[in-house]
Amino acid sequence: MKAEIIAVGTEILVGDIVNTNAQFISERLFALGIDVHYQTVVGDNPGRLTDAVSLAFSRADVVIFSGGLGPTDDDLTKETVAAYFDAPLLFHEDIKLQIEQYLHKTCSGGNTKQAYIPEGAVILQNDRGTAPGIILEKNEKTAILLPGPPRELLPMFTEQVEPYLKQRSGFVMVEKMVRIFGIGESRVGDIISDLMESANPTVAPYAKDNEVTLRIAAKAETEKAANAMIEDMNKKLSERLGAYIYGYDEMDMAKTVVALLQEKNLTIACAESCTAGLLTATLGDVPGVSSVLHESIVTYSNEAKQKHLHVSAETLAQYGAVSEQTAIEMAEGIQKTTGAKVGVSVTGIAGPDGGTEEKPVGLVYVAVAYGGSTTVRRLQLIGTRGKIRQASVLHALNEVRKRIVSK
Amino acid sequence: MKAEIIAVGTEILVGDIVNTNAQFISERLFALGIDVHYQTVVGDNPGRLTDAVSLAFSRADVVIFSGGLGPTDDDLTKETVAAYFDAPLLFHEDIKLQIEQYLHKTCSGGNTKQAYIPEGAVILQNDRGTAPGIILEKNEKTAILLPGPPRELLPMFTEQVEPYLKQRSGFVMVEKMVRIFGIGESRVGDIISDLMESANPTVAPYAKDNEVTLRIAAKAETEKAANAMIEDMNKKLSERLGAYIYGYDEMDMAKTVVALLQEKNLTIACAESCTAGLLTATLGDVPGVSSVLHESIVTYSNEAKQKHLHVSAETLAQYGAVSEQTAIEMAEGIQKTTGAKVGVSVTGIAGPDGGTEEKPVGLVYVAVAYGGSTTVRRLQLIGTRGKIRQASVLHALNEVRKRIVSK
């Protein structure tokens, strides 16, 4: 099955927004085993949209549209595709009522337009907006029309379009994301290069924000068979990358650490210098974190490190604020002053200024005080200030994770 | 002048990467007054790429390509476009030497391929990679070939392609970004709807992450004339939106607040509950912040609020942790305990759980203690946990800004 994606909207052509919908849809179609040959963006222009529709259907079996389903006059996707399929637009009273319920008011002209659906179409429910999605089939060609806003498109695709496409394809796709930290994408590639050549299940790496994720995708006739293929591949990956695998699927590093702390009934407190709150804020993004995180202290200045964390003046004078010794005293200080079971500290030079030959930008120390002992790790990170701070946070969380797991 | 953008690369069609290059190029072309009618993505497939090239040149004067200039055999953009323009590829010894200098080694087969340039082309220097950019003109049609990685493409476009296009267009474009906070995009639109209809200079709103930015773009024969048009429009915007305008161009809210603190020789400390470090971390992202930010405290629990900030047990018992009174005591407590000139606090319910009828998710209090008085603001924010926390941070920074400015 060959597919194309057409995003409709002048706002994309003038660079107001990035076409993330195309990436999302492409990624999902790839996982379903459907080839995408072209992505196109066209403006809210009747002639050019009509041309794009004809061209796409001359090349592909399925064309997925995003955008142009709104209430205004320049929203033309539905009208143009319906004309191409020669399908009259019929008014649906029930859709008008749904739109009115969503808007908490009576439909005005524009929204009434959204209650017209091409004859014979499958209607896709939209709980997050006023434009229903539409699937239209004729002469072996399928048009799938989706609303443009990602918060409407993404769940509609996952919940309604994917089951439809899976049913049409006659097989089941199952995926598992394997989350890896502490090793770069190219080394991962070297270690599992033979596995990455597997055709089914496939294994593909995604590098993002200092992490690598491997996606295993299996295609089979039943979900059970697909799951078995996934587990078999996961076992092979674990054998080679076990030490670097920290989680699966939606469990990112912060969620993993919070879940571990909750499971072991531990509390954590952070003493942050160069990350300046970002470590605590990253934990703070996890719902329910308040059961394990009660307080943290940002100590940017030496005075603050002494006052709040009781780092000794001698340590600061002898080794400096960015040192193994200071990191250890910060971790032990925050553990002691807060009474948290786990004390974690970060101190380093995030740049762009402040680096020296001896202590360059990107030098960061992370220490973890837990269960009567303190461990410290020296990192030499690269990149912008933002990237160094973000990598420091992930390393700190990973050190915490390793300490808790090993207990 | 009509333009199209073609991104070449199977990695985009399988959803591995988002086509941010197209957005960047579209945005810049729009600012230059060049219309983009289509964006296309095509894979590393000779037949389909040839079709895409022919189609684009049948519709547009200028086609900008990104990607497919790499050293491997499936990088085909240059070869395909050269064939379309009937231009033989000629070997350039100097480019081979540049590539070798960049790689710190002798060119192998693939990189040698990158030293071949279509006859008659303008060569665009690439300091960040091995693929030079190329501009090829023939019969009133122009092809601009750029390397795919954004870190190579963006500076090459800004530094070399834009001057070329400006020279061709014979006019100068100047832009100014007007940064606005505390008012939504639709209200901004209502207030300046007549100004948004202006053809030159143009005024366009961009809403992102709880902020609105207006871009003024002026086209004139000289930079001086364009600047005068910008300033004239900016004056009109200031008359209507003055209270909401907090900065210009690259000065985001955190940079604006840090610059103000530095200018007035003030220090700041934050007492954070629901934002859990995100306020401090946002300030911490600004280079040089250590001159004004020495310490902050995250007090998630009631105990921590009492211990570190001396919030009274009575206040917590009577009004609760999320209250005007607690916010005030937190701000005054952090000011006092740290000795910072400005104490700012955030306490609220970020959700998804923890809301009640009386204190729903999204209820946030922000207080600022400064110069002998404390002000507090009640916010009712909407969205996800992440969005509520991020909006809380911006509101807190904005309250700090307003207090400092008014002194």
Side-chain angles (χ1 to χ4, degrees), chain B residues 104-266:
Chain B
H104 297 289
K105 64 173 188 186
T106 310
C107 265
S108 62
N111 290 122
T112 305
K113 168 168 121 79
Q114 297 184 300
Y116 283 83
I117 304 289
E119 191 175 37
V122 177
I123 298 169
L124 306 174
Q125 173 82 15
N126 186 353
D127 298 326
R128 296 165 186 82
T130 56
I134 290 163
I135 300 179
L136 200 53
E137 295 181 4
K138 194 168 178 178
N139 304 336
E140 316 261 302
K141 300 285 182 184
T142 304
I144 301 178
L145 284 63
L146 303 172
R151 61 180 288 278
E152 299 175 35
L153 182 143
L154 269 59
M156 188 182 283
F157 194 92
T158 313
E159 293 160 18
Q160 299 178 76
V161 177
E162 285 193 36
Y164 167 84
L165 292 171
K166 277 180 187 169
Q167 199 189 9
R168 259 189 62 158
S169 71
F171 54 77
V172 177
M173 293 289 310
V174 177
E175 291 178 4
K176 189 183 188 93
M177 308 299 281
V178 182
R179 291 176 168 272
I180 290 167
F181 183 76
I183 179 172
E185 187 183 11
S186 68
R187 262 200 70 206
V188 171
D190 290 344
I191 294 171
I192 61 160
S193 60
D194 55 326
L195 302 179
M196 281 166 60
E197 282 170 22
S198 159
N200 185 23
T202 56
V203 179
Y206 297 84
K208 197 193 142 206
D209 294 345
N210 299 302
E211 284 193 58
V212 179
T213 302
L214 293 172
R215 180 169 64 193
I216 316 175
K219 187 198 266 193
E221 283 188 16
T222 66
E223 195 164 330
K224 199 180 157 192
N227 275 324
M229 291 162 72
I230 296 264
E231 282 320 311
D232 183 54
M233 179 58 83
N234 184 35
K235 212 178 134 207
K236 287 179 191 158
L237 293 175
S238 297
E239 280 162 14
R240 304 202 197 168
L241 295 166
Y244 300 108
I245 296 174
Y246 74 82
Y248 291 97
D249 297 323
E250 291 319 298
M251 292 302 286
D252 65 19
M253 186 65 87
K255 282 184 187 156
T256 300
V257 168
V258 169
L260 272 170
L261 291 165
Q262 286 170 333
E263 183 193 319
K264 308 223 168 189
N265 210 15
L266 297 172

Side-chain angles (χ1 to χ4, degrees), chain A residues 274 300 348-355 360-363 383-386 388-389, chain B residues 284-288:
Chain A
C274 64
Y300 230 55
I349 301 158
D353 305 316
V361 168
L363 176 66
T384 59
R385 180 180 178 86
I388 288 169
R389 295 174 71 229
Chain B
D285 202 36
V286 180

Side-chain angles (χ1 to χ4, degrees), chain B residues 318-338:
Chain B
Q318 192 174 344
Y319 303 103
V322 179
S323 65
E324 200 176 294
Q325 292 79 3
T326 297
I328 291 172
E329 290 188 28
M330 285 172 71
E332 292 176 351
I334 191 78
Q335 187 190 34
K336 201 166 169 188
T337 190
T338 63

Side-chain angles (χ1 to χ4, degrees), chain A residues 185-200:
Chain A
E185 187 183 9
S186 68
R187 261 201 72 204
V188 171
D190 290 345
I191 295 171
I192 61 160
S193 59
D194 55 326
L195 302 179
M196 281 167 60
E197 282 170 22
S198 159
N200 185 25

Side-chain angles (χ1 to χ4, degrees), chain A residues 291-340:
Chain A
S291 65
V292 297
L293 173 71
H294 301 160
E295 54 199 296
S296 279
I297 303 183
V298 176
T299 56
Y300 230 55
S301 68
N302 280 358
E303 293 67 34
K305 289 179 182 74
Q306 292 177 256
K307 182 173 62 176
H308 295 295
L309 306 171
H310 311 294
V311 175
S312 79
E314 294 72 37
T315 300
L316 289 167
Q318 191 174 345
Y319 303 103
V322 179
S323 65
E324 199 176 294
Q325 291 79 3
T326 297
I328 291 172
E329 291 188 27
M330 284 172 71
E332 292 175 351
I334 192 78
Q335 187 190 33
K336 202 166 167 187
T337 190
T338 62

Side-chain angles (χ1 to χ4, degrees), chain A residues 144-187:
Chain A
I144 301 177
L145 283 60
L146 304 171
R151 61 180 289 278
E152 299 175 35
L153 182 143
L154 268 59
M156 189 182 282
F157 194 92
T158 314
E159 292 159 18
Q160 299 178 76
V161 178
E162 286 193 35
Y164 167 85
L165 292 171
K166 277 179 187 169
Q167 199 190 8
R168 258 190 61 157
S169 71
F171 53 78
V172 177
M173 292 288 312
V174 176
E175 291 179 3
K176 190 183 188 93
M177 307 300 280
V178 182
R179 292 177 166 271
I180 290 167
F181 184 76
I183 180 171
E185 187 183 9
S186 68
R187 261 201 72 204

Side-chain angles (χ1 to χ4, degrees), chain A residues 12-13 15-16 23 26 37 39 41 48 206 276 280-281 284-285 294-296 298 300-301 307-308 337 385 389, chain B residues 12 15-16 23 26 37 39 41 48 206 276 280-281 284-285 294-296 298 300-301 307-308 337 385 389:
Chain A
I12 308 176
L13 291 181
D16 275 4
Q23 183 268 333
S26 289
H37 281 186
Q39 295 172 359
V41 179
R48 288 195 285 274
Y206 297 84
T280 309
D285 203 35
H294 301 160
E295 54 199 296
S296 279
V298 176
Y300 230 55
S301 68
K307 182 173 62 176
H308 295 295
T337 190
R385 180 180 178 86
R389 295 174 71 229
Chain B
I12 308 176
D16 275 4
Q23 182 268 333
S26 289
H37 281 186
Q39 295 172 359
V41 179
R48 289 196 284 275
Y206 297 84
T280 309
D285 202 36
H294 301 160
E295 55 200 295
S296 280
V298 175
Y300 231 53
S301 68
K307 182 173 63 176
H308 295 296
T337 190
R385 179 179 178 85
R389 295 173 71 227

